[in-house]
Each structure stands twice: as C-alpha cells, then as structure tokens.
Amino acid sequence: QVRLVESGGGLVQPGGSLRLSCAASGSIFRGTMAWYRQTPGKQRELVARITSSASITYADSVKGRFTISRDNAKNTVSLQMNSLKPEDTAIYYCQGVLAGMYTYWGQGTQVTVSS
C-alpha cells in the first residue's frame, strides 16, 4: 500500500525558513517525487520535482530559495524553504509518480508566512 505523509509545516515570519518532509511507504519512492502547493481558488502548482536519478526541477518563483532532496535510505523527500515570502503561503502536497503512470498524493501540510 502506498502512503505519503507530509510533516514540517507551520507559521513562520517573512524571511524565515521551514523544512518539509514526506515519508513514503510502498514502491512509490522508486519513482519521481515532487512538492506541489495550492491556495484557495487556484490550481495546484508544481514547486519542485526530483526524479529517481536526482534530476531536479524548480518553479521559477522558488529558484534560489527552495531546495528539494531525497534520502533513498529513509524513503523521504524533503523541501528546505528559505527566505520565505507571504506569497509562499499555501497547503503543500507531496506527490509520487511511479512508472510515469501511477500518481499518489499526501494529505498536505499548511505553510503560513506572516508577520
């Protein structure tokens, strides 16, 4: 059974940092892992993606501030978020895609950037 469980969200002041983690169970971790985010009334958008071969893609809005990484020994993917801005406020979701076909989502974790 595939499960993705996010942790690490919370409230932080502008300019601060947070680290999100996603623990994956099942075979999903052999695939591509990604972080998406969503705000009310908007579509879910890609934040960062890392493939099984560690090829990485970032949204333009987070380049230079966010870093995605994966720990294959622990089946976790993390998102280090620095220099956070109010516009980074969203629910952040972990996604896993296996064999380019099977997509799984975590339950989401709230990130709020506010003074």
Side-chain angles (χ1 to χ4, degrees):
Q1 182 179 358
V2 174
R3 284 192 69 201
L4 299 173
V5 180
E6 301 101 333
S7 61
L11 173 64
V12 64
Q13 291 187 341
S17 298
L18 279 176
R19 185 176 181 86
L20 305 182
S21 292
C22 174
S25 62
S27 59
I28 189 63
F29 203 74
R30 294 201 297 266
T32 294
M33 303 296 296
W35 287 96
Y36 282 72
R37 65 187 181 188
Q38 188 171 25
T39 54
K42 292 189 177 181
Q43 285 192 326
R44 199 169 290 189
E45 64 174 2
L46 175 69
V47 177
R49 175 189 292 125
I50 183 167
T51 68
S52 57
S53 58
S55 176
I56 293 173
T57 302
Y58 292 105
D60 288 342
S61 59
V62 306
K63 282 180 181 176
R65 300 188 298 122
F66 290 12
T67 302
I68 189 171
S69 61
R70 62 191 296 161
D71 184 332
N72 292 331
K74 296 182 179 179
N75 279 16
T76 58
V77 60
S78 299
L79 185 69
Q80 177 65 42
M81 304 186 294
N82 299 327
S83 302
L84 283 160
K85 305 175 181 179
E87 51 263 42
D88 294 317
T89 296
I91 299 175
Y92 284 70
Y93 295 91
C94 179
Q95 182 206 56
V97 179
L98 185 60
M101 295 172 57
Y102 306 101
T103 301
Y104 300 89
W105 294 94
Q107 81 286 354
T109 185
Q110 177 71 47
V111 171
T112 302
V113 185
S114 175
S115 55

